[in-house]
C-alpha cells in the first residue's frame, strides 16, 4: 500500500470533517417539490435515494439507525426526510449521520448531528419533505452511510421504503448520538422516514441518473446487505468510468406499475417526488412494465406505450433525458400467459425502434434464454423466473451504455 493510498483510506474513515459548505437554510416542501436552495452557490447531486411509500403505523419514542450505500462523492451532505404518506405532522428531534464500522456500530468520531434551518428539531408537515442543512466535510463515494433519527411522538401512517434489501437497526429511546451498537439491538429490513441523500461534488459538471422501476430495480433476489442490485453495480461502473454521471438513485418499488397505483403509487404518480425532485439528475432510466402486463387488468401495449410517452414528456419538460430498457422475460412466473407475452414483445419492439427515448438498453436480450426467448436464462435466474440473481443484476448493469447516461437536454 502506498503512503498516498493509506492517507486516502484514513480520510475516508472520518466523515464530514474537512470542507465547510455554506448555503441558505432548507425548508419543508410538499413531497415532489424540489428543495429551495441558493442555486447560485450550490450544485447538489443525489448520492442515494429510495422510493417513499406508506409503511405501518409510526411509533412514539422510536429510533432508527438506517444504513445506506452512497454513489457520488462530495461535501456538504444533506438528507431528505419524508412524511409524504403521513396524516399528521412528523417531529424528529434528533438526526445524526456517520460512517459505519460494522453492524450498527459507527466509526469513532464520524457521527455528526444534522440541523434544519439551524435547529436540531424539525417538524415535517403531512405530505411534505424536509432537507437538512449541509453538514461540513466530505463524504467518499461508495460509503456505508448511517443516518440515525428519533421521533418523540410519531403516530399514524409512517413513510419509508419497506424492501430495503439492507439490514438497519431500531431501538426505543433516543440513542442517535451514540457511536456504539450497544443500544441498537433490534433490526429492520426497511428504511424509515429517509428517502434521499445528496452531496456537493467538487466537479460542478457532475450529474446523476435515477433508476425508475419495480422489484427488479429494488433488488429482490439479489443478496441482502451486499449492495448487489443492478443500480449498485451500475454505480460502481460509473465511479471507475470517465463520465460526469456519478450519482445513482434507486427508485424501484416491489410490485410497482407504470399506470396503476397498488404496490406504491404508479410510476406516473410518483415521478415528480421520487425522480424529478432529486438534485442533480441528468437522466431517468426507465425500466418498468412487467407488473402492468402480468396483472391481467387488460393493459395493452398501446396503454403502456402511452405511459412511457407521458414519462418522457414530463422528464423532457424538466430538462432530463430518458433512457429506457426493454421488459425482461418471465415465462415460468405463475401469472405468465401468451397474451401477456404478446404485449411484452410489442412494447419491447417500441422501445427498440421508436426513437422516442434519448437512449435504450436491452435487458430482455441480456436476460433471456437463447432456447426460449420468453424465459430467463437459468444461469441468471434468481429462482422465480422473473427476478435476476446477483449475476443477472451485474449482467444488466454491464449492458448499460455509460456514455448514453451522460446526456444533456
Amino acid at each position: 500500500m502506498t503512503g498516498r493510498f493509506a492517507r486516502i483510506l484514513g480520510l475516508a474513515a472520518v466523515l464530514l470533517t474537512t470542507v465547510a459548505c455554506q448555503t441558505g437554510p432548507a425548508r419543508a416542501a410538499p413531497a415532489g417539490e424540489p428543495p429551495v436552495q441558493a442555486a447560485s452557490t450550490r450544485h447538489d447531486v443525489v448520492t442515494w435515494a429510495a422510493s417513499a411509500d406508506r409503511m405501518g403505523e409510526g411509533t412514539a419514542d422510536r429510533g432508527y439507525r438506517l444504513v445506506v450505500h452512497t454513489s457520488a462523492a462530495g461535501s456538504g451532505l444533506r438528507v431528505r426526510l419524508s412524511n409524504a404518506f403521513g396524516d399528521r405532522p412528523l417531529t424528529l428531534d434528533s438526526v445524526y449521520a456517520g460512517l459505519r464500522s460494522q453492524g450498527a456500530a459507527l466509526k469513532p468520531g464520524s457521527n455528526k448531528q444534522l440541523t434544519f434551518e439551524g435547529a436540531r428539531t424539525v417538524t415535517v408537515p403531512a405530505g411534505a419533505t424536509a432537507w437538512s442543512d449541509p453538514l461540513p466535510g466530505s463524504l467518499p463515494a461508495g460509503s456505508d452511510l448511517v443516518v440515525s433519527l428519533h421521533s418523540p411522538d410519531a403516530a399514524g401512517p409512517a413513510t419509508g421504503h419497506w424492501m430495503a434489501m439492507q439490514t438497519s437497526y431500531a431501538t426505543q429511546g433516543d440513542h442517535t448520538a451514540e457511536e456504539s451498537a450497544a443500544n441498537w439491538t433490534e433490526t429492520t429490513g426497511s428504511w424509515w422516514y429517509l428517502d434521499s441523500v445528496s452531496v456537493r461534488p467538487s466537479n460542478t459538471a457532475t450529474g446523476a441518473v435515477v433508476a425508475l422501476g419495480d422489484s427488479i430495480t429494488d433488488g429482490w433476489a439479489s443478496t441482502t446487505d451486499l449492495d448487489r442490485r443492478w443500480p449498485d453495480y451500475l454505480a460502481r461502473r460509473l465511479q471507475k468510468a470517465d463520465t460526469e454521471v456519478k450519482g445513482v438513485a434507486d427508485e424501484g418499488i416491489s410490485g410497482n406499475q407504470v399506470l396503476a397505483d397498488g404496490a406504491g403509487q404508479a410510476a406516473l404518480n410518483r415521478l415528480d417526488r421520487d425522480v424529478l425532485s432529486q438534485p442533480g439528475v441528468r437522466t431517468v432510466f426507465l425500466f418498468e412494465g412487467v407488473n402492468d402486463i402480468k396483472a391481467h387488468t387488460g393493459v395493452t401495449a398501446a396503454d403502456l406505450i402511452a405511459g412511457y410517452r407521458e414519462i418522457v414528456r414530463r422528464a423532457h419538460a424538466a430538462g432530463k433525458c430518458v433512457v429506457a430498457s426493454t421488459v425482461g422475460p418471465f415465462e415460468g412466473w405463475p401469472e405468465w400467459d401468451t397474451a401477456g407475452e404478446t404485449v411484452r414483445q410489442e412494447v419491447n419492439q417500441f422501445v427498440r425502434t421508436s426513437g422516442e427515448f434519448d437512449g435504450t438498453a436491452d435487458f430482455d436480450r441480456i436476460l433471456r434464454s437463447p432456447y426460449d426467448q420468453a424465459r430467463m436464462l437459468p444461469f441468471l435466474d434468481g429462482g422465480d423466473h422473473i427476478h435476476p440473481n446477483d449475476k443477472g443484476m451485474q449482467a444488466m448493469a454491464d449492458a448499460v451504455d455509460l456514455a448514453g447516461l451522460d446526456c444533456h437536454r
Side-chain angles (χ1 to χ4, degrees), residues 387-401:
H387 297 100
N389 58 21
D390 291 353
K391 292 182 176 62
M393 295 286 183
Q394 184 169 11
M396 293 161 62
D398 287 347
V400 175
D401 175 20

Side-chain angles (χ1 to χ4, degrees), residues 51 161-165 211-223 227-234 249-257 263 270 285-294 325-331 333 344 363-364 366-368 376 380-397:
S51 316
H161 187 88
W162 75 269
M163 196 182 81
M165 303 301 295
L212 177 60
D214 48 42
S215 57
I216 300 176
T217 297
D218 213 8
W220 183 250
S222 68
T223 304
D227 302 306
R228 291 182 176 176
R229 313 163 192 84
W230 74 261
D232 295 321
Y233 283 109
L234 178 63
D250 186 337
E251 298 289 357
I253 296 182
S254 180
N256 200 228
Q257 298 181 43
R270 65 188 182 93
F285 193 108
L286 174 61
F287 177 46
E288 281 214 55
V290 68
N291 290 317
D292 298 78
I293 293 169
K294 69 181 183 62
S325 173
T326 50
V327 178
F330 67 104
E331 184 180 357
W333 177 264
R344 187 180 77 91
F363 287 168
D364 172 48
I366 295 300
L367 294 173
R368 72 193 183 200
M376 193 181 303
L380 304 179
D381 192 340
D384 61 9
H385 312 302
I386 193 170
H387 297 100
N389 58 21
D390 291 353
K391 292 182 176 62
M393 295 286 183
Q394 184 169 11
M396 293 161 62

Side-chain angles (χ1 to χ4, degrees), residues 293-353:
I293 293 169
K294 69 181 183 62
H296 300 300
T297 58
V299 169
T300 66
D303 295 331
L304 199 48
I305 288 168
Y308 287 176
R309 283 175 166 150
E310 176 67 10
I311 290 172
V312 171
R313 183 191 67 78
R314 288 165 57 189
H316 283 176
K320 320 299 181 186
C321 296
V322 180
V323 172
S325 173
T326 50
V327 178
F330 67 104
E331 184 180 357
W333 177 264
E335 294 168 295
W336 183 90
D337 61 15
T338 56
E341 180 64 15
T342 298
V343 173
R344 187 180 77 91
Q345 294 291 350
E346 292 174 359
V347 168
N348 285 352
Q349 180 69 7
F350 169 80
V351 172
R352 292 184 181 111
T353 64

Side-chain angles (χ1 to χ4, degrees), residues 54 57-58 82-91 123-128 151 153-159 193:
R54 178 169 177 160
E57 295 291 298
S82 180
N83 193 24
F85 293 89
D87 62 2
R88 68 201 72 189
L90 169 70
T91 296
T123 297
V124 188
S151 175
D153 57 359
T159 298
Y193 302 117

